[in-house]
Amino acid sequence: IADVDGDVTEKEIRGMLSTAIHLASALGTLLSFLLGSFVSWQWSAFLSIVFPAGFLFLIMHVPESPRFYLDNARDDEATAALCWLRATDDDPELIKAELDAMRQSLVEVKAQTRSLRQTLLSRRIRLPLGICLVLMIMQQMTGYNAVLFYMVEIFEHLGSSHAYFSSIIMSAVAPCFMLLSTMLTDTAGRKPLLITSALLVAAAHFVNGTYLLAKNAGYRLDIFAWLPTTSFILFFGAYSLGLGPGNYHHHCQLINKA
């Protein structure tokens, strides 16, 4: 998806739209929790078919990317595709300028064609690829997926009498902060968002870990019963602010530019 995003979007909004990919994923997770709270898993799975079916129907009406057409010497189709994607055919000069920039980019890529080994050893590729891999590793090591998949069991272990409702609240936090990240990614900058996200995720894990250690040690923590829920809100919000969507727009921009 990030590759398609890099091919068809304008560079001014590319970062925002690549972040929106993760926002859509978070909304899907929220919908799954909502469905799972009211219907059986069989009905939940059946109802989920609607979305890929809708995607299949809509994608059939979307043209190939202009870069693909240009790369295959289909200039007229490239022009038509770009006009469709930009929702305009009233500014031929702008369309022509963008197509010329794509042609120039393709020429440069072909001129630099090398073997896979040479490509991976090139600093021009190695550095952005390394950054993206580190971000992906950091994203997984936050434990977001583990917390998400076992959220109900975690809240039941913490003694919550409304584990399913608490899980829905947690999954609703992520889209809110991802929407905020989408709006901030091109203004506040990627690096500040990633640093803030990492620090807050670490703080949330520290608070949760300390609470669970104290609880397992037999301390009475009734006065701090609100702490796990608050720290989970902080965790989901912080992750969704930077580390979650960071993968998508860094891959989209760093690798495509390389």
Side-chain angles (χ1 to χ4, degrees), residues 23 26-27 30 170-180 240:
L23 172 61
L27 289 172
L30 173 59
M170 294 301 108
S171 58
V173 169
C176 296
F177 278 86
M178 284 178 191
L179 182 61
L180 178 63
S240 304

Side-chain angles (χ1 to χ4, degrees), residues 239-252:
Y239 175 88
S240 304
L241 189 64
L243 287 172
N247 252 346
Y248 292 93
H249 57 67
H250 277 84
H251 168 78
C252 175

Side-chain angles (χ1 to χ4, degrees), residues 1 27 56 98 119 134 148 157 175 235 249:
I1 294 176
L27 289 172
L56 179 62
E98 193 168 351
T119 300
V134 169
L148 186 66
H157 177 72
F235 169 71
H249 57 67

Side-chain angles (χ1 to χ4, degrees), residues 1-255:
I1 294 176
D3 291 334
V4 175
D5 180 30
D7 270 356
V8 304
T9 57
E10 298 173 85
K11 61 182 180 180
E12 292 82 6
I13 60 172
R14 191 169 296 155
M16 181 183 70
L17 288 181
S18 59
T19 307
I21 296 170
H22 206 78
L23 172 61
S25 174
L27 289 172
T29 300
L30 173 59
L31 181 59
S32 295
F33 273 102
L34 286 171
L35 287 174
S37 299
F38 297 104
V39 300
S40 67
W41 70 265
Q42 292 95 333
W43 272 107
S44 179
F46 177 76
L47 292 172
S48 297
I49 296 174
V50 172
F51 297 98
F55 171 79
L56 179 62
F57 173 76
L58 292 173
I59 199 66
M60 289 189 296
H61 297 83
V62 176
E64 275 284 1
S65 73
R67 289 178 66 92
F68 171 81
Y69 285 132
L70 289 175
D71 199 28
N72 289 274
R74 296 158 67 178
D75 290 10
D76 291 341
E77 290 168 287
T79 302
L82 190 58
C83 288
W84 187 90
L85 289 166
R86 301 294 178 260
T88 180
D89 54 5
D90 299 329
D91 197 345
E93 291 300 320
L94 183 64
I95 296 295
K96 182 178 182 300
E98 193 168 351
L99 286 172
D100 288 341
M102 289 182 187
R103 286 192 189 93
Q104 182 62 31
S105 174
L106 287 170
V107 169
E108 291 174 358
V109 169
K110 290 179 179 179
Q112 297 170 1
T113 299
R114 293 168 290 186
S115 68
L116 178 61
R117 180 175 178 276
Q118 290 174 320
T119 300
L120 293 177
L121 291 177
S122 167
R123 187 179 185 277
R124 185 167 176 268
I125 296 295
R126 191 171 66 246
L127 184 60
L129 181 61
I131 292 172
C132 291
L133 288 174
V134 169
L135 285 174
M136 292 176 71
I137 293 170
M138 287 177 61
Q139 185 189 59
Q140 296 304 311
M141 290 187 69
T142 60
Y144 178 82
N145 288 330
V147 174
L148 186 66
F149 297 154
Y150 292 97
M151 204 183 311
V152 174
E153 288 84 351
I154 290 172
F155 278 110
E156 287 176 346
H157 177 72
L158 291 170
S160 173
S161 57
H162 304 287
Y164 281 97
F165 180 73
S166 299
S167 300
I168 292 173
I169 296 299
M170 294 301 108
S171 58
V173 169
C176 296
F177 278 86
M178 284 178 191
L179 182 61
L180 178 63
S181 176
T182 299
M183 294 186 291
L184 292 177
T185 188
D186 285 326
T187 54
R190 281 75 164 157
K191 188 175 177 180
L193 287 178
L194 284 171
I195 292 173
T196 303
S197 176
L199 289 174
L200 291 177
V201 164
H205 277 318
F206 176 78
V207 171
N208 253 333
T210 303
Y211 179 89
L212 288 172
L213 283 173
K215 185 174 184 294
N216 292 336
Y219 290 96
R220 292 185 60 83
L221 301 172
D222 296 343
I223 192 174
F224 297 111
W226 54 270
L227 199 56
T229 301
T230 305
S231 61
F232 273 120
I233 291 174
L234 176 63
F235 169 71
F236 279 95
Y239 175 88
S240 304
L241 189 64
L243 287 172
N247 252 346
Y248 292 93
H249 57 67
H250 277 84
H251 168 78
C252 175
Q253 295 191 322
L254 292 177
I255 300 297

